[in-house]
Amino acid sequence: MKSDRKRLGDLLVGAGLINEEQLKQTLMEKEDTQKLGDALLERGYITEQQLIEVLEYQLGIPHISLYRYPFDLKLTNLVPKDVAKRNLLVPLKIVEDRLLVAMSDPLDFYAIDDLRLATGFQIETAIAAKDDIIRAISKIYSSDENIDEFLSDFQNTYEVEETKIKDDDSPVVRLVNQILQTAIHLRASDIHIDPQESKVLIRYRIDGVLRTERTLPKHMQSVLIARIKIMSNLDITEHRVPQDGRIKFSLDFHPVDIRIATLPTVFGEKIVMRILDLGSAINDVTKLGFNKLNLQRFKELIEKPNGIVLVTGPTGSGKSSTMYAALNKLNREEVNIITIEDPVEYQLEGINQIQVNPNVGMTFARGLRSILRQDPNIIMVGEIRDSETADVAIRASLTGHLVLSTLHTNDSIGTLARLIDMGVEPFLVAASLNGIISQRLVRKVCRDCAEVQTPTNREIEIFAKRGMTIEKVVRGRGCGTCNMTGYKGRVAIHELLVMTDLIRKAIMNSESLSKIRELAIKNKTIFLIDDGLLKVKQGITTTEEVLRVAISE
């Protein structure tokens, strides 16, 4: 952050929030244009609330919460939207000859000087969270009035509609852009456009939970859907069958890829947009939330020269992120990595990626057979959906290839039964499998409003049942940062079953799953519920979250 007076790094070290080593490392690694505060937030060394509190205390600048703040909309004429967005500031009110603005960086003296010259007012600053400011900008600079006025007489012919929805200044174009931008700023993973009988709901999935963000009048439905279809190159005249498409664009120099799926319902077409944030796509294996034992075992599994590694879990449990992180670690010049996916979510440099296309007969099994003639070292199969794909993948692993794939099952031991159920011979399962990772995503307690509490009797009971003790738990009180939910962000909990000689023998002898479970326990396997409860002990998540996704036996 720009300052000639007190340096932010020194303030944070002085407050004991970071140490000298973390400061030096961040200053070395961050990009030239990136502000120090943003770089420290990105690495998770501090929370935005801690940053605000330090600036508030050390510099005497007041902190303001923009959650439900009564904004003066007339001030939008004084401070244009592009100035507000560029400098991350929001005008709050005018008192005599002073303009009060909320800024995420009150040490940005260039922005303050520019604003003083542009408005003619003396500028007084308050600190607000970056997300709060972004949300406030999209709220107070919204163009809903124009959109509604425009659409009230927008009942003309289809031709007019098409010209209007392609015009960049058209209100409907601005509305769609606003919906997308808000979703990205709120870190939503999906946008749902839900047609109802008398209205259209715009819902965002944030940290795995859906919530309604805004309601639009019914007469906006057709033009809104037509605009999204045009952006994703879909047929806007076809309303009877589902369609799939993609939108790629850049938001604040940040590449964003959006996958579109339409579905005809009784009240019109429902659209779901899956947001793939290309900037944060490729994770480091160490940042996936593995505990020490599981991380070591996971690295050993993916570094074996052959065999199958399966990642299992329901839709939206972060399987793709784990697979891409593994590929990213294995991606070296001397290995040939080929993937077959449906669809290709993230494009990785140096990896050959194939898109499944059943319309021309390009299925997982057929693509996999072709891959084997391409001299690969490592193969990633997006999903094992049928016995044919399972059979080819297993034979590929037995002929000296490392195969990574996913399967929709509830836990790691249940995956063995699922493969045998698909018609794969038990001896092939035993010979080819290296290990199975089962995972789920749980919401993390918001660090800004986290409170230490005494565990309930029920929690003590749950921990005791798993052979653990618990003295304190951490829960979020609810604040503006986490939208009063008490949770912000997500972390994965894992169950990693490594195939030992005894487990292989049990599979070949068609032993029961309970016998295999006993052998897994002897091998110190940490089950999903246990990994979740360990994360509760560390204050990362809550017992309610763990029980929501993992079954307590």
Side-chain angles (χ1 to χ4, degrees):
M1 297 201 180
K2 306 159 192 160
S3 167
D4 307 322
R5 305 161 204 188
K6 288 185 181 176
R7 296 214 318 238
L8 179 66
D10 299 336
L11 293 179
L12 292 167
V13 171
L17 291 173
I18 57 170
N19 56 40
E20 288 282 0
E21 188 53 44
Q22 289 171 328
L23 177 61
K24 276 180 194 161
Q25 192 185 346
T26 308
L27 287 168
M28 274 164 57
E29 290 173 3
K30 80 178 184 73
E31 295 166 24
D32 294 342
T33 53
Q34 193 180 26
K35 293 179 177 176
L36 176 61
D38 290 343
L40 289 165
L41 288 172
E42 205 175 84
R43 285 160 179 73
Y45 292 148
I46 55 170
T47 71
E48 194 156 17
Q49 197 60 34
Q50 288 171 332
L51 179 63
I52 286 169
E53 280 166 13
V54 164
L55 293 173
E56 183 181 18
Y57 176 72
Q58 299 279 6
L59 307 173
I61 298 171
H63 164 226
I64 199 156
S65 170
L66 302 179
Y67 190 70
R68 297 194 174 143
Y69 188 88
F71 294 103
D72 182 353
L73 297 180
K74 293 190 191 79
L75 294 180
T76 54
N77 301 325
L78 191 65
V79 181
K81 185 177 181 178
D82 58 332
V83 173
K85 273 183 77 176
R86 187 172 64 245
N87 298 311
L88 282 179
L89 54 85
V90 179
L92 300 176
K93 59 182 176 185
I94 292 174
V95 182
E96 295 166 359
D97 65 338
R98 300 189 311 280
L99 171 65
L100 178 65
V101 292
M103 300 179 72
S104 72
D105 177 9
L107 299 179
D108 190 344
F109 298 112
Y110 297 119
I112 294 168
D113 283 348
D114 286 351
L115 200 59
R116 184 171 53 77
L117 291 167
T119 61
F121 285 94
Q122 289 301 316
I123 306 299
E124 262 191 29
T125 56
I127 316 171
K130 188 177 177 180
D131 285 354
D132 263 10
I133 288 180
I134 290 166
R135 226 170 288 152
I137 289 172
S138 79
K139 181 177 163 188
I140 67 172
Y141 288 94
S142 147
S143 51
D144 285 10
E145 321 77 51
N146 317 1
I147 292 165
D148 228 10
E149 192 183 309
F150 163 72
L151 284 164
S152 56
D153 56 36
F154 194 87
Q155 307 299 325
N156 298 339
T157 61
Y158 160 72
E159 287 76 27
V160 176
E161 204 171 286
E162 190 168 1
T163 54
K164 293 269 188 183
I165 51 189
K166 285 185 172 174
D167 176 13
D168 280 354
D169 281 337
S170 156
V172 71
V173 171
R174 293 208 300 273
L175 172 68
V176 172
N177 291 348
Q178 198 182 316
I179 289 170
L180 295 176
Q181 283 179 355
T182 308
I184 291 158
H185 291 321
L186 291 174
R187 296 188 181 87
S189 59
D190 301 84
I191 307 169
H192 289 237
I193 295 177
D194 276 346
Q196 309 283 307
E197 191 171 4
S198 57
K199 60 191 176 195
V200 181
L201 298 181
I202 310 290
R203 301 199 292 165
Y204 293 153
R205 188 180 291 282
I206 300 168
D207 291 340
V209 180
L210 266 177
R211 73 155 199 255
T212 303
E213 189 64 25
R214 65 198 295 178
T215 306
L216 299 174
K218 185 71 176 172
H219 65 256
M220 288 172 128
Q221 182 178 315
S222 58
V223 66
L224 183 66
I225 287 167
R227 171 62 192 160
I228 293 167
K229 283 184 170 182
I230 280 176
M231 287 174 82
S232 46
N233 293 321
L234 298 179
D235 181 357
I236 66 170
T237 60
E238 180 56 82
H239 309 289
R240 298 158 302 172
V241 294
Q243 297 185 68
D244 290 318
R246 276 188 115 112
I247 301 174
K248 265 192 175 179
F249 68 100
S250 194
L251 178 71
D252 301 332
F253 309 107
H254 194 70
V256 179
D257 194 352
I258 296 179
R259 212 167 72 214
I260 310 286
T262 74
L263 183 73
T265 71
V266 286
F267 297 125
E269 283 177 286
K270 173 181 165 71
I271 291 188
V272 174
M273 301 191 256
R274 164 64 58 92
I275 300 169
L276 306 166
D277 184 346
L278 302 180
S280 62
I282 303 161
N283 281 309
D284 183 350
V285 170
T286 55
K287 290 178 185 163
L288 292 173
F290 281 111
N291 62 42
K292 278 182 187 167
L293 176 67
N294 280 348
L295 179 62
Q296 182 200 335
R297 286 180 170 183
F298 180 65
K299 283 180 176 172
E300 284 168 10
L301 281 185
I302 62 173
E303 276 160 8
K304 287 189 176 176
N306 59 337
I308 288 191
V309 178
L310 289 175
V311 185
T312 73
T315 310
S317 58
K319 298 189 297 293
S320 299
S321 298
T322 304
M323 299 266 276
Y324 281 120
L327 288 182
N328 198 38
K329 183 165 175 58
L330 298 168
N331 191 2
R332 299 186 300 274
E333 192 187 342
E334 59 269 24
V335 293
N336 178 19
I337 302 177
I338 305 181
T339 77
I340 178 157
E341 304 167 61
D342 180 24
V344 172
E345 291 195 2
Y346 300 111
Q347 282 143 20
L348 305 180
E349 203 177 326
I351 291 178
N352 309 286
Q353 294 170 282
I354 302 167
Q355 168 80 50
V356 166
N357 187 352
N359 299 335
V360 293
M362 182 60 162
T363 59
F364 274 118
R366 190 171 175 187
L368 196 46
R369 284 196 185 92
S370 309
I371 287 172
L372 292 173
R373 295 193 284 275
Q374 293 284 324
D375 181 33
N377 298 91
I378 298 161
I379 302 166
M380 178 183 115
V381 184
E383 190 186 333
I384 293 179
R385 291 180 184 168
D386 51 46
S387 53
E388 194 185 1
T389 312
D391 203 46
V392 182
I394 280 171
R395 289 182 195 284
S397 71
L398 293 172
T399 51
H401 306 93
L402 177 67
V403 180
L404 304 175
S405 190
T406 70
L407 201 61
H408 288 276
T409 55
N410 289 331
D411 60 1
S412 55
I413 294 169
T415 306
L416 300 170
R418 174 97 172 88
L419 285 169
I420 293 164
D421 205 35
M422 277 173 134
V424 181
E425 293 292 342
F427 74 89
L428 284 176
V429 173
S432 62
L433 261 184
N434 288 348
I436 302 164
I437 300 124
S438 181
Q439 73 174 59
R440 301 286 187 282
L441 291 176
V442 291
R443 292 184 290 170
K444 290 196 289 188
V445 174
C446 171
R447 282 167 65 180
D448 291 336
C449 60
E451 286 182 333
V452 176
Q453 296 180 1
T454 312
T456 62
N457 292 339
R458 175 85 180 108
E459 281 177 309
I460 294 168
E461 210 177 286
I462 291 163
F463 274 83
K465 208 171 164 189
R466 306 299 302 175
M468 295 186 224
T469 57
I470 181 90
E471 275 124 43
K472 60 181 195 316
V473 292
V474 177
R475 281 195 178 79
R477 189 178 57 249
C479 63
T481 312
C482 60
N483 260 319
M484 297 321 231
T485 59
Y487 297 101
K488 189 166 168 61
R490 288 192 291 176
V491 68
I493 58 171
H494 302 92
E495 172 174 311
L496 207 158
L497 178 70
V498 177
M499 303 302 280
T500 62
D501 291 341
L502 288 172
I503 293 177
R504 288 182 205 280
K505 206 170 176 182
I507 294 169
M508 286 205 274
N509 295 339
S510 300
E511 299 266 14
S512 68
L513 292 185
S514 54
K515 170 72 177 163
I516 293 171
R517 190 178 183 84
E518 281 170 30
L519 295 172
I521 291 167
K522 278 183 188 165
N523 193 36
K524 294 183 179 165
T525 299
I526 299 169
F527 293 101
L528 268 178
I529 182 97
D530 300 327
D531 193 34
L533 294 178
L534 286 170
K535 286 186 166 73
V536 173
K537 279 191 86 157
Q538 292 166 346
I540 297 170
T541 186
T542 62
T543 319
E544 294 88 347
E545 272 299 292
V546 173
L547 295 180
R548 184 171 65 84
V549 297
I551 304 155
S552 175
E553 298 100 16

